[in-house]
Amino acid sequence: MTQLDERSATMPTMTASDDPARTWLAAFEDALLARDVARAAGLFAATSFWRDLIAFSWNITTVENPAGVADLLTATLEGTAPHGFRFTEEPETADGVTSAWFEFETAVGRGRGLVRIVDEDGPKAWTLLTTMYELKGHEEPLRERRPKGAEHGARRDRVSWLERRQAEEASLGTETQPYALVIGGGQGGIALGARLRQLGVPALVIDRHPRPGDQWRGRYKSLCLHDPVWYDHLPYIKFPENWPVFAPKDKVGDWLESYVKVMEVPYWSNTTATSAAFDEASGTWTVEIERDGAPLTLHPTQLVFATGMSGKPNVPVFPGQDVFRGEQQHSSQHPGPDAYSGKKVVVIGSNNSAFDICGALWEHGADVTMVQRSSTHIVKSDTLMDIGLGDLYSERALAAGVTTEKADLIFASLPYRIMHEFQIPLYDRMRERDKDFYDRMTAAGFDLDWGDDGSGLFLKYLRRGSGYYIDVGSAELVADGEVALAHGDVDHLTEDAVVLKDGTVLPADLVVYATGYGSMNGWVADLISQEVADTVGKCWGLGSDTTKDPGPWEGEQRNMWKPTQQPNLWFHGGNLHQSRHYSLYLALQLKARHAGIDTPVYGLQQVHHLR
């Protein structure tokens, strides 16, 4: 993923006598045990970063430099009571940076971490990651703690597994209220539902589709995952070793449906939330739903929107849409190319969905024009898999001992503030490797970019969640002129054409709006109120002050997987990797509250942007 991580693969093992990690970790623990904030903060480099995933802060937050460390520890150290720091691997050093994996305990939980140490008048932490992975007394029933299953012996009141499950399902929502209601049953909601079940949190996942996985089955038929299988595992159950590298959408849908059943996720299909309101006095929600068309009222304590960052379609409004005689669809509604052979199709947009749809339509004989409204970053899939992901998520990585879980922590350990510095050289390599391809795209008139600072796809995704295409072949159609290319904004539609602001007329039988999605708090406005949506503010982005990610710097994904300004309201989403990894931290936060554990939140996010 980064040059830093590539160097880590060749780090030589250090001995105890010359290992700065042992010196640093012992000094850090000693300062924490003594509650000496100044001494602990003094163990960080002048430019340094501590990213904490709920272990100290009950938040997902990053602090910077010794002053930030001191602020975090002043607020959290006494209650956290960290201790028991120990290495889990031999520290390794390369290029002046020592990396060390460790575990530790707090008053209520157990954690893992990764520190990178530099020499700055002695060993100082440059980056520190701390994460909680379990709560004491509330450990998941895994491995040696797994349930027995069979009940040996003879009993007249014996209840079978099936009977228990049927009774649980029958009482849920009537006799028994879910502590956490998860709205949205895609990969994010399902992953969180599985985590909550293993933690013993009464939860319910609801989704409007008839079956789990229909979120994928209903998309255009050529859709496949653009991320590789090693990056996409769900919690607890990895994809089989013969699973395709890039899974087709219907295969993903079937996997999600089977996952719900095997993991016993409490899941209601054909269920739509129609309104929600929070009662501050009781600390609970009243959520009105319709299940199979029948109304029902639920009273959860915690409400989670797992509707996905690509869940609320952004459908533009143009003059003339009411007089256009052809079809109009958002990309999320596009059924596929079968009915459009020989038809003229205009696709508004030039990112992932636009390219996929254009490619499938061309294959079925449609006359396709792509309208590019702004520049797009393109990276070829094979190149991204090799240079961008290969050291963390691949067979190569697994052979080197980098499991999915370890890769997730390595990726999480690099602070967003400096991530671009390590991504830029990787994308420079990609640009050089595929120079001929980019030259042909430019010659065809396509407007390319590499992000505002040249840092490429991952930062574009984290900052704005749009503006890129992982090329699996459709870009070649644009380069070769097989898919026509137009530029500019739409002015209006006529009965049979799209007219751009420069006067260009594009005849059309079908217009596909591949125009992306709105912020997740738009769902809050629809279901609860605009006031609550504004109280929470915009979801996603880092505050990088780059295109579509306005400042000020916030340092973490806005509102995602952590407490918000609206009590008992949470957001969960992102790609399969994020749904897998961050569902752990969200589930632990919900479990702690359900168990009555004190969860003082450090650094609750301020609201700078509403949408």
Side-chain angles (χ1 to χ4, degrees):
M1 187 68 67
T2 68
Q3 287 182 324
L4 184 150
D5 297 317
E6 291 171 0
R7 292 199 303 265
S8 298
T10 60
M11 287 181 178
T13 299
M14 304 293 291
T15 65
S17 61
D18 62 0
D19 183 0
R22 283 179 168 77
T23 301
W24 185 88
L25 194 64
F28 187 56
E29 181 174 26
D30 186 62
L32 296 180
L33 291 174
R35 305 294 190 262
D36 191 334
V37 170
R39 181 151 55 96
L43 293 167
F44 284 74
T47 299
S48 52
F49 310 88
W50 181 356
R51 188 172 193 224
D52 181 64
L53 306 183
I54 79 171
F56 282 70
S57 62
W58 287 112
N59 200 354
I60 294 176
T61 189
T62 300
V63 295
E64 300 183 6
N65 309 330
V69 172
D71 190 70
L72 171 62
L73 288 177
T74 297
T76 66
L77 182 54
E78 189 63 39
T80 302
H83 62 281
F85 287 79
R86 57 199 175 276
F87 291 116
T88 56
E89 297 181 18
E90 282 296 308
E92 298 180 321
T93 301
D95 296 338
V97 179
T98 298
S99 300
W101 293 93
F102 61 90
E103 292 187 345
F104 63 99
E105 297 186 21
T106 68
V108 299
R110 298 182 183 92
R112 298 187 176 100
L114 174 61
V115 63
R116 297 185 180 97
I117 297 167
V118 295
D119 185 5
E120 193 173 278
D121 296 323
K124 301 289 178 66
W126 171 41
T127 71
L128 174 65
L129 171 72
T130 50
T131 72
M132 182 187 293
Y133 69 88
E134 69 181 7
L135 290 164
K136 294 178 180 177
H138 304 283
E139 296 83 357
E140 293 187 20
L142 303 174
R143 295 177 288 276
E144 70 278 0
R145 294 189 298 271
R146 70 176 72 223
K148 190 173 183 179
E151 294 184 24
H152 296 162
R155 292 175 49 188
R156 286 192 169 145
D157 61 348
R158 181 185 297 277
V159 178
S160 71
W161 169 86
L162 179 59
E163 290 168 331
R164 285 195 302 271
R165 292 284 293 123
Q166 289 172 335
E168 176 188 324
E169 291 171 2
S171 68
L172 185 59
T174 54
E175 300 171 23
T176 305
Q177 288 296 318
Y179 176 77
L181 177 64
V182 182
I183 299 177
Q187 68 261 16
I190 287 171
L192 181 60
R195 298 268 197 198
L196 292 172
R197 182 159 191 88
Q198 294 306 302
L199 286 167
V201 177
L204 174 62
V205 180
I206 64 172
D207 193 89
R208 61 186 174 85
H209 293 91
R211 295 162 54 196
D214 279 349
Q215 304 87 349
W216 289 89
R217 295 187 190 96
R219 299 295 303 277
Y220 53 90
K221 74 175 190 178
S222 63
L223 176 64
C224 290
L225 291 180
H226 288 177
D227 298 322
V229 63
W230 307 278
Y231 186 73
D232 288 339
H233 296 300
L234 292 177
Y236 308 111
I237 305 176
K238 289 183 168 63
F239 291 114
E241 292 186 354
N242 64 349
W243 196 261
V245 175
F246 304 106
K249 66 166 180 92
D250 295 284
K251 195 171 181 68
V252 175
D254 290 347
W255 180 265
L256 293 176
E257 185 170 29
S258 65
Y259 184 89
V260 167
K261 181 173 290 188
V262 170
M263 293 305 300
E264 301 177 14
V265 177
Y267 190 105
W268 285 359
S269 300
N270 282 322
T271 303
T272 302
T274 58
S275 69
F278 184 66
D279 183 344
E280 293 187 12
S282 67
T284 61
W285 293 90
T286 296
V287 183
E288 303 294 341
I289 68 170
E290 290 184 0
R291 185 186 186 195
D292 295 325
L296 183 65
T297 303
L298 298 175
H299 296 285
T301 300
Q302 309 289 346
L303 186 61
V304 182
F305 280 80
T307 46
M309 62 168 291
S310 298
K312 189 169 181 59
N314 180 22
V315 182
V317 176
F318 300 122
Q321 286 176 319
D322 57 334
V323 302
F324 181 70
R325 292 182 302 194
E327 292 184 67
Q328 299 177 70
Q329 307 156 350
H330 187 265
S331 58
S332 61
Q333 303 164 322
H334 179 62
D338 296 36
Y340 305 105
S341 177
K343 302 288 187 179
K344 293 184 181 296
V345 183
V346 174
V347 178
I348 311 297
S350 57
N351 296 333
N352 267 336
S353 294
F355 271 100
D356 284 351
I357 290 170
C358 285
L361 286 165
W362 177 88
E363 289 178 345
H364 281 71
D367 179 356
V368 189
T369 298
M370 173 185 286
V371 177
Q372 185 178 27
R373 299 173 301 157
S374 59
S375 63
T376 302
H377 171 58
I378 300 180
V379 59
K380 297 187 78 65
S381 176
D382 289 347
T383 303
L384 178 66
M385 297 311 108
D386 180 20
I387 296 175
L389 286 169
D391 288 331
L392 292 183
Y393 300 98
S394 68
E395 291 299 323
R396 181 175 88 222
L398 290 172
V402 182
T403 63
T404 299
E405 294 75 16
K406 189 172 186 178
D408 288 347
L409 291 176
I410 292 172
F411 188 70
S413 72
L414 194 61
Y416 292 133
R417 173 78 85 174
I418 59 173
M419 185 177 285
H420 66 284
E421 298 175 14
F422 297 94
Q423 293 289 294
I424 290 170
L426 301 181
Y427 284 89
D428 286 344
R429 286 169 55 193
M430 297 182 204
R431 179 162 35 193
E432 182 60 29
R433 174 182 291 191
D434 297 319
K435 182 178 183 301
D436 290 344
F437 163 73
Y438 293 115
D439 287 346
R440 289 191 297 111
M441 288 296 291
T442 300
F446 195 85
D447 187 5
L448 292 165
D449 74 60
W450 291 82
D452 287 14
D453 52 7
S455 59
L457 185 145
F458 285 110
L459 267 300
K460 262 204 166 188
Y461 172 71
L462 293 168
R463 291 166 173 171
R464 53 183 280 191
S466 65
Y468 51 81
Y469 171 52
I470 301 174
D471 181 31
V472 294
S474 294
E476 297 290 344
L477 297 174
V478 174
D480 294 340
E482 295 293 325
V483 168
L485 183 64
H487 294 91
D489 291 321
V490 175
D491 185 76
H492 66 279
L493 275 66
T494 66
E495 291 183 346
D496 57 4
V498 174
V499 182
L500 304 185
K501 289 189 180 296
D502 66 359
T504 300
V505 177
L506 303 173
D509 302 301
L510 167 68
V511 179
V512 179
Y513 299 110
T515 46
Y517 299 84
S519 173
M520 287 177 67
N521 69 334
W523 291 113
V524 175
D526 291 347
L527 187 65
I528 306 173
S529 69
Q530 188 63 56
E531 180 183 3
V532 172
D534 290 346
T535 296
V536 169
K538 178 180 171 66
C539 297
W540 210 258
L542 304 172
S544 63
D545 203 24
T546 57
T547 302
K548 295 189 178 182
D549 183 28
W553 177 252
E554 299 183 52
E556 294 288 346
Q557 293 290 312
R558 295 184 186 96
N559 282 318
M560 301 303 297
W561 319 294
K562 59 185 179 180
T564 68
Q565 290 286 344
Q566 169 61 50
N568 298 26
L569 180 64
W570 310 78
F571 294 90
H572 178 55
N575 57 29
L576 279 156
H577 155 258
Q578 291 170 311
S579 293
R580 172 188 67 248
H581 186 219
Y582 289 98
S583 61
L584 170 62
Y585 309 114
L586 177 49
L588 286 171
Q589 291 174 84
L590 295 173
K591 174 62 180 181
R593 287 161 172 79
H594 178 252
I597 296 171
D598 191 27
T599 56
V601 177
Y602 169 82
L604 184 65
Q605 179 188 299
Q606 300 302 305
V607 176
H608 301 291
H609 306 284
L610 302 184
R611 298 172 185 86

